[in-house]
Every structure is written in C-alpha cells, then in structure tokens.
Amino acid sequence: MSDAFNTPVSVDPRLLEVLVCPVTRGRLTYDRERNELVSAGAKLAFPIRDGVPIMLAEDARPLD
C-alpha cells in the first residue's frame, strides 16, 4: 500500500524541459522545498498540486 500523503512529490526532469512560464515563455526552475515551479522573469511561483503543475498566472504566488 502506498503512503501517498507522506511521500514528497517530485517533478520529472523531462517535464521541466517542456514546460515554460505562461507569462514570459521563459524557463522554469523547481523549488523542492515549496513544491513550486518558479519563473524568475515573471517573478511568479506556480504551485504543484497532487503532482500536477498549476500553470495559471492567477493561481501563482508573486515572488518578493
């Protein structure tokens, strides 16, 4: 039986090669601690929920 609630979610590196920021079309980096995809150009962090990146600008967290 899988312990899905205690297992940290990771992002497939191949996914990072394909995904781009929906605002700038720039590269994204993965923040493992916060489980987010970060766009330095747009100064936004996109959440990953249940292993699925949420690539909507309105759901992104602004970076300080």
Side-chain angles (χ1 to χ4, degrees):
M1 186 158 124
S2 173
D3 189 10
F5 293 107
N6 292 323
T7 304
V9 178
S10 64
V11 175
D12 185 340
R14 293 174 293 182
L15 186 61
L16 285 176
E17 293 175 9
V18 176
L19 286 177
V20 295
C21 173
V23 176
T24 65
R25 302 285 184 229
R27 183 183 166 130
L28 298 166
T29 57
Y30 177 52
D31 182 341
R32 186 178 301 258
E33 277 186 29
R34 292 183 179 233
N35 199 34
E36 298 174 325
L37 294 176
V38 176
S39 170
K43 296 185 181 178
L44 294 172
F46 298 91
I48 300 172
R49 297 185 187 129
D50 298 322
V52 178
I54 309 300
M55 303 305 295
L56 301 171
E58 56 267 14
D59 287 344
R61 178 178 65 83
L63 299 176
D64 296 330

